[in-house]
Amino acid sequence: MEKIRETTEKLISGERLEKAEFAALIRANSPQLREKLAAAADEKRRTFYGSSVYIRGLIEFTNCCKNNCLYCGIRRSQVCAERYRLSEEDILACCDAGHELGFRTFVLQGGEDPYFTPERIEDLVRAIKTAHPDCAVTLSVGEQPREVYALWKAAGADRYLLRHETADKAHYEKLHPSEMSFENRMRCLHDLKSLGYQVGCGMMIGSPFQTPETLAEDLCFIQSFRPQMVGMGPFIPAAGTPFEKERAGTLEETLLLLSLVRLILPEVLLPATTALGTIDPLGREKGILAGANVVMPNLSPVSVRKKYALYDSKICTGDEAAECLRCLAARMHRIGFEIVTDRGDSKLVN
Ligand code: SAM
Ligand code: FES
């Protein structure tokens, strides 16, 4: 108990922790510990970002994917997935509507879809930046060669989200088929950073085979890699995948991890994810109170929302973007935060 108290104080005062110390905090995970860490995380976040919550307009532009990640509801072998692709016009229309609503960041996320060649995505990025030069463009389209990341950066892309999924190689290999490699995932993240992107890594909480030690390894990686963003939400099983019968990650563990990451990197941009809102009706509010400062409402056309089914029972698949934003703004207001019209760039430099 005394040791946990000391470790907590060490983390709050900004000292680096060892893997064993992170693992001990993760194992301890009591309501008192979560409360203490959340209060400290809230205070740190307020010194950099006040009570502002940044919004990112998420455009899920294709659910076609050549990969076969074992946890993912749109993996290649998912025969029941109804595949779709948005056209460039559709995507630009989503951005126009989003801009009107106050979004200043657009996140283009999709499977690794060979139809969207590097040149097609390059054109898309240029078109969005030309139409909305006051906005940031975030890409989240998986593992690519360094030259492709460089091409998109030159076209104007500002940020890239690529969750590392787990920093433990053996664990990575249990979540992915043998044609994917831990080394390539890490190579991608380092390339993105050295090319000057604001980079987001992250992991699912409660993924199959995860342990306090693998999570502690994730935290050590985050501590040394210093990403500008960290995307973390609970793992939620998806019907039809090899992990369909596995247990979902818990609210409590996700909240603990959000507070820990905020304390490790006080300036980090940290979303309260849709997955967190899926496992608990007030999940996103609780995520913000634990230290998160970003929400990512969906800007994709309602007609395709249900088809981007990474996991079961995903929320917000029926509402128009304007309605989602109104709902989230009210939710944030009720807990004393406000959604702002701002690019919300990271204060962490590469
Ligand atoms: N293809 C891109 C990539 O691999 O980074 C972006 C799309 S991928 C679906 C985005 C993220 O969704 C993954 O990094 C993973 O962490 C998350 N995800 C996939 N399946 C999930 C599940 N069953 N539960 C929770 N999150 C999941
Ligand atoms: Fe490609 Fe999930 S396996 S997006």
Side-chain angles (χ1 to χ4, degrees):
M1 217 48 235
E2 183 53 26
K3 186 83 191 114
I4 292 290
R5 207 185 53 75
E6 266 171 38
T7 309
T8 308
E9 293 307 330
K10 208 171 146 186
L11 177 65
I12 294 174
S13 70
E15 274 182 66
R16 284 176 80 88
L17 296 192
E18 302 294 331
K19 180 175 168 184
E21 295 175 308
F22 282 130
L25 291 179
I26 293 163
R27 273 188 207 289
N29 197 0
S30 62
Q32 296 81 337
L33 178 62
R34 280 199 302 281
E35 210 173 293
K36 171 138 198 182
L37 291 172
D42 181 57
E43 197 184 320
K44 288 248 155 95
R45 182 252 331 267
R46 280 177 200 276
T47 54
F48 289 98
Y49 300 107
S51 58
S52 297
V53 172
Y54 299 106
I55 45 172
R56 315 303 194 194
L58 182 62
I59 305 172
E60 297 163 336
F61 70 102
T62 171
N63 72 349
C64 304
C65 189
K66 67 178 171 61
N67 285 341
N68 223 5
C69 304
L70 273 64
Y71 44 82
C72 184
I74 60 171
R75 64 200 293 268
R76 182 179 78 222
S77 300
Q78 186 78 341
V79 281
C80 57
E82 209 185 309
R83 305 289 172 176
Y84 73 89
R85 292 185 177 109
L86 297 184
S87 66
E88 180 167 327
E89 296 72 62
D90 289 338
I91 297 169
L92 288 170
C94 292
C95 295
D96 292 344
H99 193 266
E100 195 63 22
L101 290 169
F103 287 89
R104 295 296 178 266
T105 292
F106 301 114
V107 181
L108 296 186
Q109 189 181 83
E112 289 185 27
D113 179 357
Y115 169 85
F116 283 99
T117 56
E119 294 70 30
R120 280 204 168 108
I121 293 194
E122 180 193 12
D123 289 348
L124 252 175
V125 172
R126 280 195 204 286
I128 297 173
K129 293 294 279 194
T130 305
H132 301 292
D134 55 339
C135 292
V137 170
T138 305
L139 293 174
S140 179
V141 283
E143 298 177 18
Q144 307 287 340
R146 184 184 172 93
E147 309 78 76
V148 173
Y149 289 146
L151 182 76
W152 296 340
K153 186 83 187 53
D158 303 274
R159 309 182 188 140
Y160 205 99
L161 301 180
L162 183 73
R163 291 187 178 180
H164 63 285
E165 311 296 1
T166 168
D168 180 289
K169 181 172 152 66
H171 184 209
Y172 186 93
E173 289 168 359
K174 292 182 182 158
L175 299 178
H176 299 94
S178 57
E179 73 253 21
M180 292 179 75
S181 83
F182 175 71
E183 288 74 16
N184 196 47
R185 198 82 177 173
M186 289 293 164
R187 189 271 306 157
C188 288
L189 283 165
H190 285 100
D191 277 349
L192 287 162
K193 206 146 191 240
S194 67
L195 286 164
Y197 281 93
Q198 296 174 39
V199 179
C201 65
M203 62 282 186
M204 295 176 288
I205 308 302
S207 63
F209 311 107
Q210 190 174 69
T211 63
E213 281 67 36
T214 65
L215 272 175
E217 194 67 56
D218 290 320
L219 295 180
C220 289
F221 170 65
I222 288 167
Q223 186 172 248
S224 60
F225 185 62
R226 300 182 61 75
Q228 282 82 12
M229 307 169 280
V230 176
M232 284 186 305
F235 159 74
I236 303 176
T241 63
F243 293 155
E244 66 178 355
K245 298 237 156 57
E246 299 290 332
R247 263 205 304 270
T250 65
L251 174 75
E252 292 73 21
E253 196 163 39
T254 308
L255 296 178
L256 178 83
L257 266 291
L258 285 171
S259 299
L260 290 174
V261 169
R262 168 65 62 200
L263 291 169
I264 295 168
L265 295 175
E267 305 100 316
V268 78
L269 288 156
L270 195 60
T273 59
T274 305
L276 190 54
T278 298
I279 61 161
D280 185 287
L282 294 176
R284 285 166 301 176
E285 289 89 327
K286 292 174 185 172
I288 297 289
L289 292 169
N293 65 336
V294 172
V295 287
M296 298 175 71
N298 205 315
L299 286 182
S300 313
V302 174
S303 58
V304 302
R305 293 267 186 92
K306 282 198 168 52
K307 299 180 189 164
Y308 198 82
L310 305 183
Y311 47 80
D312 297 345
S313 310
K314 190 173 166 197
I315 54 165
C316 306
T317 55
D319 295 329
E320 290 295 342
E323 185 45 39
C324 277
L325 184 60
R326 239 194 318 275
C327 160
L328 266 174
R331 284 170 180 266
M332 295 302 119
H333 188 72
R334 278 198 288 273
I335 56 167
F337 287 78
E338 69 277 346
I339 279 179
V340 291
T341 296
D342 191 306
R343 274 174 52 121
D345 281 299
S346 168
K347 297 190 193 320
L348 262 172
V349 281
N350 270 332

